[in-house]
mmCIF file of all heavy atoms in Angstrom:
data_model
loop_
_atom_site.group_PDB
_atom_site.id
_atom_site.type_symbol
_atom_site.label_atom_id
_atom_site.label_comp_id
_atom_site.label_asym_id
_atom_site.label_seq_id
_atom_site.Cartn_x
_atom_site.Cartn_y
_atom_site.Cartn_z
ATOM 1 N N ARG B 1 121.270 67.753 102.794
ATOM 2 C CA ARG B 1 120.975 68.943 102.017
ATOM 3 C C ARG B 1 122.183 69.808 102.026
ATOM 4 O O ARG B 1 122.612 70.368 103.057
ATOM 5 C CB ARG B 1 119.846 69.755 102.636
ATOM 6 C CG ARG B 1 119.718 71.215 102.172
ATOM 7 C CD ARG B 1 119.285 71.416 100.699
ATOM 8 N NE ARG B 1 117.888 70.996 100.555
ATOM 9 C CZ ARG B 1 117.406 70.291 99.555
ATOM 10 N NH1 ARG B 1 118.240 69.757 98.675
ATOM 11 N NH2 ARG B 1 116.142 70.044 99.500
ATOM 12 N N GLU B 2 122.942 69.850 100.916
ATOM 13 C CA GLU B 2 124.129 70.660 100.766
ATOM 14 C C GLU B 2 123.737 72.080 100.380
ATOM 15 O O GLU B 2 122.890 72.219 99.474
ATOM 16 C CB GLU B 2 125.036 70.058 99.715
ATOM 17 C CG GLU B 2 125.503 68.656 99.996
ATOM 18 C CD GLU B 2 126.286 68.104 98.808
ATOM 19 O OE1 GLU B 2 126.470 68.783 97.808
ATOM 20 O OE2 GLU B 2 126.646 66.910 98.903
ATOM 21 N N MET B 3 124.437 73.028 100.940
ATOM 22 C CA MET B 3 124.284 74.407 100.466
ATOM 23 C C MET B 3 125.650 75.031 100.552
ATOM 24 O O MET B 3 126.419 74.792 101.477
ATOM 25 C CB MET B 3 123.226 75.197 101.289
ATOM 26 C CG MET B 3 121.843 74.605 101.083
ATOM 27 S SD MET B 3 120.485 75.558 101.891
ATOM 28 C CE MET B 3 120.403 76.999 100.801
ATOM 29 N N SER B 4 125.894 75.959 99.614
ATOM 30 C CA SER B 4 127.247 76.623 99.525
ATOM 31 C C SER B 4 127.107 78.073 100.051
ATOM 32 O O SER B 4 126.102 78.685 99.988
ATOM 33 C CB SER B 4 127.703 76.664 98.075
ATOM 34 O OG SER B 4 127.893 75.319 97.594
ATOM 35 N N ILE B 5 128.309 78.508 100.538
ATOM 36 C CA ILE B 5 128.390 79.949 100.959
ATOM 37 C C ILE B 5 129.745 80.456 100.485
ATOM 38 O O ILE B 5 130.787 79.730 100.616
ATOM 39 C CB ILE B 5 128.104 80.081 102.424
ATOM 40 C CG1 ILE B 5 127.973 81.555 102.757
ATOM 41 C CG2 ILE B 5 129.232 79.462 103.257
ATOM 42 C CD1 ILE B 5 127.483 81.883 104.134
ATOM 43 N N HIS B 6 129.782 81.659 100.067
ATOM 44 C CA HIS B 6 131.065 82.396 99.812
ATOM 45 C C HIS B 6 131.040 83.553 100.839
ATOM 46 O O HIS B 6 130.280 84.459 100.667
ATOM 47 C CB HIS B 6 131.102 82.945 98.410
ATOM 48 C CG HIS B 6 131.139 81.906 97.337
ATOM 49 N ND1 HIS B 6 132.189 81.666 96.510
ATOM 50 C CD2 HIS B 6 130.162 80.999 96.991
ATOM 51 C CE1 HIS B 6 131.892 80.669 95.649
ATOM 52 N NE2 HIS B 6 130.678 80.203 95.937
ATOM 53 N N THR B 7 131.912 83.461 101.832
ATOM 54 C CA THR B 7 131.857 84.470 102.860
ATOM 55 C C THR B 7 132.768 85.674 102.546
ATOM 56 O O THR B 7 132.783 86.699 103.240
ATOM 57 C CB THR B 7 132.315 83.961 104.204
ATOM 58 O OG1 THR B 7 133.736 83.836 104.267
ATOM 59 C CG2 THR B 7 131.745 82.552 104.523
ATOM 60 N N SER B 8 133.464 85.619 101.428
ATOM 61 C CA SER B 8 134.325 86.715 101.006
ATOM 62 C C SER B 8 134.560 86.626 99.496
ATOM 63 O O SER B 8 134.249 85.653 98.887
ATOM 64 C CB SER B 8 135.683 86.622 101.714
ATOM 65 O OG SER B 8 136.412 85.447 101.380
ATOM 66 N N ARG B 9 135.094 87.739 98.999
ATOM 67 C CA ARG B 9 135.462 87.762 97.515
ATOM 68 C C ARG B 9 136.851 88.378 97.483
ATOM 69 O O ARG B 9 137.233 89.286 98.202
ATOM 70 C CB ARG B 9 134.476 88.691 96.764
ATOM 71 C CG ARG B 9 133.045 88.180 96.705
ATOM 72 C CD ARG B 9 132.161 89.112 95.897
ATOM 73 N NE ARG B 9 130.770 88.673 95.878
ATOM 74 C CZ ARG B 9 129.829 89.273 95.238
ATOM 75 N NH1 ARG B 9 130.072 90.408 94.588
ATOM 76 N NH2 ARG B 9 128.611 88.769 95.265
ATOM 77 N N GLY B 10 137.607 87.880 96.505
ATOM 78 C CA GLY B 10 138.971 88.410 96.311
ATOM 79 C C GLY B 10 140.006 87.463 96.896
ATOM 80 O O GLY B 10 139.682 86.634 97.810
ATOM 81 N N CYS B 11 141.236 87.595 96.411
ATOM 82 C CA CYS B 11 142.352 86.713 96.914
ATOM 83 C C CYS B 11 143.631 87.503 96.704
ATOM 84 O O CYS B 11 143.862 88.068 95.639
ATOM 85 C CB CYS B 11 142.385 85.435 96.153
ATOM 86 S SG CYS B 11 143.712 84.287 96.758
ATOM 87 N N PRO B 12 144.511 87.570 97.724
ATOM 88 C CA PRO B 12 145.682 88.365 97.606
ATOM 89 C C PRO B 12 146.821 87.655 96.835
ATOM 90 O O PRO B 12 147.811 88.230 96.467
ATOM 91 C CB PRO B 12 146.143 88.511 99.115
ATOM 92 C CG PRO B 12 145.632 87.317 99.796
ATOM 93 C CD PRO B 12 144.291 87.029 99.104
ATOM 94 N N PHE B 13 146.632 86.405 96.529
ATOM 95 C CA PHE B 13 147.647 85.618 95.825
ATOM 96 C C PHE B 13 147.516 85.800 94.327
ATOM 97 O O PHE B 13 146.474 86.203 93.836
ATOM 98 C CB PHE B 13 147.645 84.166 96.225
ATOM 99 C CG PHE B 13 147.832 83.978 97.733
ATOM 100 C CD1 PHE B 13 146.902 83.200 98.417
ATOM 101 C CD2 PHE B 13 148.850 84.591 98.405
ATOM 102 C CE1 PHE B 13 147.051 82.989 99.775
ATOM 103 C CE2 PHE B 13 148.972 84.423 99.749
ATOM 104 C CZ PHE B 13 148.069 83.644 100.454
ATOM 105 N N SER B 14 148.455 85.298 93.607
ATOM 106 C CA SER B 14 148.460 85.413 92.112
ATOM 107 C C SER B 14 148.917 84.115 91.488
ATOM 108 O O SER B 14 149.845 84.048 90.624
ATOM 109 C CB SER B 14 149.358 86.544 91.575
ATOM 110 O OG SER B 14 148.894 87.777 92.093
ATOM 111 N N CYS B 15 148.310 82.982 91.893
ATOM 112 C CA CYS B 15 148.698 81.681 91.330
ATOM 113 C C CYS B 15 148.480 81.769 89.864
ATOM 114 O O CYS B 15 147.498 82.229 89.325
ATOM 115 C CB CYS B 15 147.832 80.581 91.963
ATOM 116 S SG CYS B 15 148.143 80.339 93.743
ATOM 117 N N VAL B 16 149.366 81.106 89.067
ATOM 118 C CA VAL B 16 149.416 81.255 87.679
ATOM 119 C C VAL B 16 148.190 80.784 86.971
ATOM 120 O O VAL B 16 147.797 81.311 85.947
ATOM 121 C CB VAL B 16 150.699 80.514 87.111
ATOM 122 C CG1 VAL B 16 150.519 79.017 87.222
ATOM 123 C CG2 VAL B 16 151.032 80.939 85.726
ATOM 124 N N PHE B 17 147.528 79.789 87.507
ATOM 125 C CA PHE B 17 146.350 79.144 86.877
ATOM 126 C C PHE B 17 145.037 79.825 87.222
ATOM 127 O O PHE B 17 143.964 79.375 86.790
ATOM 128 C CB PHE B 17 146.318 77.703 87.091
ATOM 129 C CG PHE B 17 146.546 77.305 88.496
ATOM 130 C CD1 PHE B 17 145.652 77.548 89.493
ATOM 131 C CD2 PHE B 17 147.697 76.662 88.821
ATOM 132 C CE1 PHE B 17 145.886 77.274 90.782
ATOM 133 C CE2 PHE B 17 147.996 76.282 90.166
ATOM 134 C CZ PHE B 17 147.083 76.561 91.126
ATOM 135 N N CYS B 18 145.038 80.784 88.088
ATOM 136 C CA CYS B 18 143.799 81.334 88.685
ATOM 137 C C CYS B 18 143.418 82.694 88.014
ATOM 138 O O CYS B 18 144.272 83.502 87.757
ATOM 139 C CB CYS B 18 143.932 81.510 90.198
ATOM 140 S SG CYS B 18 142.494 82.194 90.976
ATOM 141 N N SER B 19 142.125 82.869 87.730
ATOM 142 C CA SER B 19 141.664 84.032 87.165
ATOM 143 C C SER B 19 141.007 84.993 88.149
ATOM 144 O O SER B 19 140.422 86.031 87.807
ATOM 145 C CB SER B 19 140.595 83.769 86.025
ATOM 146 O OG SER B 19 139.466 83.145 86.630
ATOM 147 N N ASN B 20 141.046 84.629 89.474
ATOM 148 C CA ASN B 20 140.320 85.403 90.460
ATOM 149 C C ASN B 20 140.636 86.881 90.449
ATOM 150 O O ASN B 20 139.778 87.727 90.570
ATOM 151 C CB ASN B 20 140.579 84.763 91.862
ATOM 152 C CG ASN B 20 139.719 85.406 92.925
ATOM 153 O OD1 ASN B 20 139.946 86.568 93.305
ATOM 154 N ND2 ASN B 20 138.743 84.655 93.404
ATOM 155 N N PRO B 21 141.929 87.253 90.383
ATOM 156 C CA PRO B 21 142.269 88.719 90.417
ATOM 157 C C PRO B 21 141.595 89.539 89.287
ATOM 158 O O PRO B 21 141.239 90.684 89.497
ATOM 159 C CB PRO B 21 143.786 88.764 90.246
ATOM 160 C CG PRO B 21 144.230 87.435 90.835
ATOM 161 C CD PRO B 21 143.170 86.433 90.362
ATOM 162 N N SER B 22 141.336 88.870 88.200
ATOM 163 C CA SER B 22 140.712 89.612 87.052
ATOM 164 C C SER B 22 139.195 89.749 87.277
ATOM 165 O O SER B 22 138.483 90.525 86.586
ATOM 166 C CB SER B 22 140.959 88.876 85.759
ATOM 167 O OG SER B 22 140.260 87.666 85.644
ATOM 168 N N LEU B 23 138.642 89.003 88.237
ATOM 169 C CA LEU B 23 137.247 89.054 88.494
ATOM 170 C C LEU B 23 136.904 89.820 89.809
ATOM 171 O O LEU B 23 135.975 90.655 89.799
ATOM 172 C CB LEU B 23 136.693 87.625 88.623
ATOM 173 C CG LEU B 23 136.847 86.704 87.429
ATOM 174 C CD1 LEU B 23 136.411 85.317 87.797
ATOM 175 C CD2 LEU B 23 136.052 87.262 86.284
ATOM 176 N N HIS B 24 137.581 89.488 90.842
ATOM 177 C CA HIS B 24 137.259 90.042 92.170
ATOM 178 C C HIS B 24 138.343 90.947 92.758
ATOM 179 O O HIS B 24 138.176 91.489 93.836
ATOM 180 C CB HIS B 24 136.930 88.911 93.111
ATOM 181 C CG HIS B 24 135.881 87.974 92.692
ATOM 182 N ND1 HIS B 24 134.573 88.439 92.553
ATOM 183 C CD2 HIS B 24 135.858 86.667 92.402
ATOM 184 C CE1 HIS B 24 133.813 87.401 92.187
ATOM 185 N NE2 HIS B 24 134.569 86.323 92.087
ATOM 186 N N GLY B 25 139.460 91.050 92.082
ATOM 187 C CA GLY B 25 140.617 91.857 92.580
ATOM 188 C C GLY B 25 141.425 91.104 93.635
ATOM 189 O O GLY B 25 141.051 90.021 94.093
ATOM 190 N N LYS B 26 142.523 91.702 94.030
ATOM 191 C CA LYS B 26 143.371 91.091 94.996
ATOM 192 C C LYS B 26 143.058 91.472 96.394
ATOM 193 O O LYS B 26 143.416 90.840 97.366
ATOM 194 C CB LYS B 26 144.831 91.475 94.665
ATOM 195 C CG LYS B 26 145.314 90.996 93.326
ATOM 196 C CD LYS B 26 146.823 91.100 93.133
ATOM 197 C CE LYS B 26 147.544 90.047 94.019
ATOM 198 N NZ LYS B 26 148.967 89.985 93.677
ATOM 199 N N LYS B 27 142.311 92.614 96.546
ATOM 200 C CA LYS B 27 141.863 93.027 97.913
ATOM 201 C C LYS B 27 140.676 92.149 98.275
ATOM 202 O O LYS B 27 139.720 91.976 97.531
ATOM 203 C CB LYS B 27 141.432 94.432 97.891
ATOM 204 C CG LYS B 27 140.821 94.957 99.212
ATOM 205 C CD LYS B 27 140.304 96.339 99.038
ATOM 206 C CE LYS B 27 139.519 96.765 100.302
ATOM 207 N NZ LYS B 27 138.882 98.109 100.184
ATOM 208 N N VAL B 28 140.705 91.557 99.487
ATOM 209 C CA VAL B 28 139.653 90.747 99.959
ATOM 210 C C VAL B 28 138.561 91.554 100.604
ATOM 211 O O VAL B 28 138.832 92.334 101.519
ATOM 212 C CB VAL B 28 140.147 89.639 100.926
ATOM 213 C CG1 VAL B 28 139.021 88.720 101.398
ATOM 214 C CG2 VAL B 28 141.263 88.783 100.298
ATOM 215 N N ARG B 29 137.310 91.416 100.117
ATOM 216 C CA ARG B 29 136.163 91.973 100.793
ATOM 217 C C ARG B 29 135.380 90.815 101.398
ATOM 218 O O ARG B 29 135.243 89.774 100.841
ATOM 219 C CB ARG B 29 135.307 92.695 99.763
ATOM 220 C CG ARG B 29 135.929 93.967 99.195
ATOM 221 C CD ARG B 29 135.268 94.425 97.903
ATOM 222 N NE ARG B 29 135.663 93.486 96.821
ATOM 223 C CZ ARG B 29 134.756 92.903 95.994
ATOM 224 N NH1 ARG B 29 133.447 93.130 96.100
ATOM 225 N NH2 ARG B 29 135.221 92.104 95.078
ATOM 226 N N ALA B 30 134.796 91.126 102.559
ATOM 227 C CA ALA B 30 134.158 89.997 103.309
ATOM 228 C C ALA B 30 132.815 90.399 103.844
ATOM 229 O O ALA B 30 132.608 91.559 104.287
ATOM 230 C CB ALA B 30 135.045 89.464 104.412
ATOM 231 N N TYR B 31 131.900 89.434 103.916
ATOM 232 C CA TYR B 31 130.683 89.587 104.729
ATOM 233 C C TYR B 31 131.042 89.677 106.173
ATOM 234 O O TYR B 31 132.012 89.078 106.627
ATOM 235 C CB TYR B 31 129.726 88.452 104.471
ATOM 236 C CG TYR B 31 129.076 88.416 103.132
ATOM 237 C CD1 TYR B 31 129.593 87.639 102.109
ATOM 238 C CD2 TYR B 31 127.941 89.130 102.938
ATOM 239 C CE1 TYR B 31 128.966 87.573 100.852
ATOM 240 C CE2 TYR B 31 127.281 89.054 101.644
ATOM 241 C CZ TYR B 31 127.776 88.322 100.648
ATOM 242 O OH TYR B 31 127.183 88.255 99.434
ATOM 243 N N SER B 32 130.272 90.427 106.946
ATOM 244 C CA SER B 32 130.535 90.451 108.416
ATOM 245 C C SER B 32 130.275 89.108 109.007
ATOM 246 O O SER B 32 129.514 88.254 108.450
ATOM 247 C CB SER B 32 129.608 91.492 109.062
ATOM 248 O OG SER B 32 128.246 91.103 108.948
ATOM 249 N N VAL B 33 130.808 88.826 110.171
ATOM 250 C CA VAL B 33 130.605 87.521 110.874
ATOM 251 C C VAL B 33 129.117 87.392 111.178
ATOM 252 O O VAL B 33 128.567 86.279 110.964
ATOM 253 C CB VAL B 33 131.401 87.516 112.159
ATOM 254 C CG1 VAL B 33 131.071 86.268 112.941
ATOM 255 C CG2 VAL B 33 132.942 87.536 111.814
ATOM 256 N N ASP B 34 128.496 88.424 111.614
ATOM 257 C CA ASP B 34 127.052 88.363 111.940
ATOM 258 C C ASP B 34 126.192 87.981 110.646
ATOM 259 O O ASP B 34 125.291 87.170 110.728
ATOM 260 C CB ASP B 34 126.519 89.668 112.479
ATOM 261 C CG ASP B 34 127.044 89.929 113.909
ATOM 262 O OD1 ASP B 34 127.497 88.990 114.554
ATOM 263 O OD2 ASP B 34 126.906 91.105 114.352
ATOM 264 N N ARG B 35 126.534 88.541 109.544
ATOM 265 C CA ARG B 35 125.828 88.280 108.312
ATOM 266 C C ARG B 35 126.033 86.776 107.917
ATOM 267 O O ARG B 35 125.101 86.114 107.514
ATOM 268 C CB ARG B 35 126.264 89.189 107.222
ATOM 269 C CG ARG B 35 125.802 88.805 105.822
ATOM 270 C CD ARG B 35 124.285 88.740 105.687
ATOM 271 N NE ARG B 35 123.954 88.166 104.367
ATOM 272 C CZ ARG B 35 123.847 88.847 103.242
ATOM 273 N NH1 ARG B 35 123.994 90.186 103.240
ATOM 274 N NH2 ARG B 35 123.460 88.274 102.091
ATOM 275 N N VAL B 36 127.274 86.342 108.039
ATOM 276 C CA VAL B 36 127.579 84.931 107.671
ATOM 277 C C VAL B 36 126.763 83.928 108.531
ATOM 278 O O VAL B 36 126.108 83.031 108.036
ATOM 279 C CB VAL B 36 129.103 84.614 107.802
ATOM 280 C CG1 VAL B 36 129.313 83.132 107.648
ATOM 281 C CG2 VAL B 36 129.867 85.404 106.788
ATOM 282 N N ILE B 37 126.781 84.212 109.854
ATOM 283 C CA ILE B 37 126.004 83.307 110.737
ATOM 284 C C ILE B 37 124.538 83.373 110.554
ATOM 285 O O ILE B 37 123.824 82.336 110.503
ATOM 286 C CB ILE B 37 126.387 83.609 112.198
ATOM 287 C CG1 ILE B 37 127.904 83.451 112.406
ATOM 288 C CG2 ILE B 37 125.633 82.667 113.168
ATOM 289 C CD1 ILE B 37 128.460 82.075 112.016
ATOM 290 N N SER B 38 124.023 84.576 110.269
ATOM 291 C CA SER B 38 122.617 84.746 109.953
ATOM 292 C C SER B 38 122.221 83.970 108.727
ATOM 293 O O SER B 38 121.173 83.275 108.669
ATOM 294 C CB SER B 38 122.304 86.208 109.767
ATOM 295 O OG SER B 38 120.975 86.403 109.326
ATOM 296 N N GLU B 39 123.064 84.007 107.733
ATOM 297 C CA GLU B 39 122.809 83.333 106.444
ATOM 298 C C GLU B 39 122.790 81.785 106.692
ATOM 299 O O GLU B 39 121.985 81.078 106.169
ATOM 300 C CB GLU B 39 123.822 83.672 105.397
ATOM 301 C CG GLU B 39 123.521 83.168 104.064
ATOM 302 C CD GLU B 39 123.397 84.323 103.060
ATOM 303 O OE1 GLU B 39 123.202 85.477 103.422
ATOM 304 O OE2 GLU B 39 123.449 84.000 101.809
ATOM 305 N N VAL B 40 123.808 81.294 107.412
ATOM 306 C CA VAL B 40 123.893 79.823 107.701
ATOM 307 C C VAL B 40 122.681 79.396 108.444
ATOM 308 O O VAL B 40 122.126 78.285 108.230
ATOM 309 C CB VAL B 40 125.214 79.531 108.366
ATOM 310 C CG1 VAL B 40 125.280 78.016 108.715
ATOM 311 C CG2 VAL B 40 126.403 79.866 107.469
ATOM 312 N N LYS B 41 122.255 80.185 109.460
ATOM 313 C CA LYS B 41 121.065 79.784 110.271
ATOM 314 C C LYS B 41 119.858 79.683 109.359
ATOM 315 O O LYS B 41 119.012 78.740 109.508
ATOM 316 C CB LYS B 41 120.879 80.762 111.370
ATOM 317 C CG LYS B 41 121.841 80.650 112.549
ATOM 318 C CD LYS B 41 121.563 81.666 113.628
ATOM 319 C CE LYS B 41 122.487 81.509 114.819
ATOM 320 N NZ LYS B 41 122.242 82.544 115.871
ATOM 321 N N ALA B 42 119.715 80.623 108.433
ATOM 322 C CA ALA B 42 118.601 80.560 107.534
ATOM 323 C C ALA B 42 118.620 79.327 106.649
ATOM 324 O O ALA B 42 117.628 78.691 106.405
ATOM 325 C CB ALA B 42 118.525 81.824 106.622
ATOM 326 N N MET B 43 119.823 78.997 106.207
ATOM 327 C CA MET B 43 119.998 77.737 105.439
ATOM 328 C C MET B 43 119.587 76.489 106.204
ATOM 329 O O MET B 43 118.877 75.631 105.688
ATOM 330 C CB MET B 43 121.468 77.585 104.987
ATOM 331 C CG MET B 43 121.951 78.579 103.965
ATOM 332 S SD MET B 43 123.699 78.324 103.678
ATOM 333 C CE MET B 43 124.041 79.560 102.414
ATOM 334 N N LYS B 44 119.942 76.484 107.489
ATOM 335 C CA LYS B 44 119.655 75.336 108.316
ATOM 336 C C LYS B 44 118.193 75.259 108.656
ATOM 337 O O LYS B 44 117.495 74.217 108.467
ATOM 338 C CB LYS B 44 120.468 75.423 109.596
ATOM 339 C CG LYS B 44 120.158 74.299 110.629
ATOM 340 C CD LYS B 44 121.027 74.384 111.835
ATOM 341 C CE LYS B 44 120.559 73.501 112.982
ATOM 342 N NZ LYS B 44 120.788 72.093 112.698
ATOM 343 N N TYR B 45 117.609 76.343 109.106
ATOM 344 C CA TYR B 45 116.240 76.304 109.644
ATOM 345 C C TYR B 45 115.153 76.533 108.622
ATOM 346 O O TYR B 45 114.000 76.088 108.798
ATOM 347 C CB TYR B 45 116.104 77.340 110.784
ATOM 348 C CG TYR B 45 117.063 77.025 111.965
ATOM 349 C CD1 TYR B 45 118.045 77.916 112.289
ATOM 350 C CD2 TYR B 45 116.911 75.862 112.671
ATOM 351 C CE1 TYR B 45 118.922 77.638 113.369
ATOM 352 C CE2 TYR B 45 117.775 75.516 113.714
ATOM 353 C CZ TYR B 45 118.789 76.443 114.063
ATOM 354 O OH TYR B 45 119.621 76.179 115.128
ATOM 355 N N GLN B 46 115.495 77.212 107.541
ATOM 356 C CA GLN B 46 114.466 77.484 106.436
ATOM 357 C C GLN B 46 114.564 76.444 105.351
ATOM 358 O O GLN B 46 113.565 76.130 104.634
ATOM 359 C CB GLN B 46 114.582 78.835 105.930
ATOM 360 C CG GLN B 46 114.286 79.921 106.922
ATOM 361 C CD GLN B 46 114.512 81.356 106.356
ATOM 362 O OE1 GLN B 46 114.455 81.534 105.160
ATOM 363 N NE2 GLN B 46 114.703 82.295 107.226
ATOM 364 N N HIS B 47 115.766 75.889 105.044
ATOM 365 C CA HIS B 47 115.953 75.064 103.923
ATOM 366 C C HIS B 47 116.493 73.688 104.329
ATOM 367 O O HIS B 47 116.870 72.849 103.442
ATOM 368 C CB HIS B 47 116.935 75.702 102.965
ATOM 369 C CG HIS B 47 116.508 77.041 102.409
ATOM 370 N ND1 HIS B 47 115.417 77.162 101.563
ATOM 371 C CD2 HIS B 47 116.931 78.289 102.768
ATOM 372 C CE1 HIS B 47 115.227 78.522 101.324
ATOM 373 N NE2 HIS B 47 116.132 79.185 102.008
#
């Protein structure tokens, strides 16, 4: 059972082929470590 997670948004780089800065900005915002682990545990034990 595969499940995906994005623990952060944004990227400080500006690779020529990437549109990330126009969507999420160059400043990285991130979920807290506790939130990430809580989410992964829910994926494992509930799904």
Side-chain angles (χ1 to χ4, degrees):
R1 161 70 72 226
E2 301 173 2
M3 296 185 73
S4 297
I5 190 168
H6 296 245
T7 80
S8 63
R9 296 180 182 180
C11 182
F13 304 129
S14 299
C15 295
V16 70
F17 44 69
C18 182
S19 64
N20 188 289
S22 70
L23 300 173
H24 302 297
K26 299 192 71 171
K27 175 187 173 184
V28 180
R29 290 160 290 130
Y31 288 97
S32 67
V33 173
D34 287 345
R35 166 61 188 272
V36 171
I37 301 306
S38 172
E39 190 121 341
V40 175
K41 285 180 177 178
M43 291 176 177
K44 175 181 169 70
Y45 297 117
Q46 296 176 22
H47 302 288

